[in-house]
Every structure is written in C-alpha cells, then in structure tokens.
Amino acid sequence: MNASPVKPNIPNAELIQAVLNGQVVQVTPNDDDGWTDMDPTVAVATLVRSAPGLKFRIKPQTLVHWLPVYRNAREGAGIGNVYVDRSRVPRELPAGPVVKLLRLELDSESLEPISVTSERV
C-alpha cells in the first residue's frame, strides 16, 4: 500500500512564497479602505496566522514616474518633465530649483493612478 505524502494545509501559502521571493504583499481590512504594503519582516508571520477579517493580495505591477516641482520668484511653482529614474532628476531646472518631487504610481495594465506622494529633495 503506497501512502501519498501528507501536504500540510498552510493558509496563504502562495502569498507567503511570494514574500519569500521578494514580492510585495498588501493587506486591507476591506476593499473600501485601500491596500497597504506589508513590511516583509512581519508579512510571513501575519500570513501564517491568517488574521481574521483581513484580506491579502500580491501588489499589482506598477509604473513609477517622478515629477519635479520647481519654484521661482516670477512664475511661482511649476512642474518639470517626467522622469522614470529618480536618480536622474536634477536639483535645478532651467525654470528654477527643484523643491519637491511627486512620485506617481500607475497600474501597469489600466494606467490608472494608484498613488501620488510628495518627497522633499
């Protein structure tokens, strides 16, 4: 009689594997509250416990673009060209010094905005 190996029933096994593979997993209490990236150092423990009432997913692939915000005395504030690499954004634009960066995150399929955040330079 051949016994098949016992496969343990691990909650969220695919998501745990995704975290171990370096992907970002997100959590939400419900779909209306939006999704939050989980810190990888706590994600596996949270996923194993499968906390009741929480929903999890692998973060969708996104496109990230950087928009420098400049300021000058004559025109006030404005937005410069779009950059796909943050390290290439200059500190000074022809129109004036860059005072902030806007980080625009888009869904790679629908191109809908996922988030916009502001960073000091």
Side-chain angles (χ1 to χ4, degrees), residues 34-116:
W35 293 88
T36 303
D37 292 357
M38 293 181 72
D39 183 325
T41 60
V42 298
V44 172
T46 304
L47 290 165
V48 167
R49 284 189 310 232
S50 189
L54 294 179
K55 295 179 181 179
F56 305 99
R57 72 175 185 186
I58 295 174
K59 184 175 183 173
Q61 294 296 318
T62 61
L63 302 171
V64 175
H65 298 294
W66 300 91
L67 295 96
V69 178
Y70 66 85
R71 181 181 308 268
N72 66 35
R74 192 176 50 154
E75 298 172 18
I79 296 178
N81 291 331
V82 175
Y83 293 83
V84 294
D85 183 351
R86 188 185 194 288
S87 68
R88 296 201 181 272
V89 178
R91 292 202 175 270
E92 184 86 22
L93 295 172
V98 175
V99 293
K100 285 190 182 227
L101 281 176
L102 298 179
R103 181 184 186 275
L104 175 60
E105 190 174 6
L106 303 171
D107 180 280
S108 64
E109 295 296 319
S110 68
L111 300 180
E112 289 295 317
I114 294 174
S115 70
V116 177

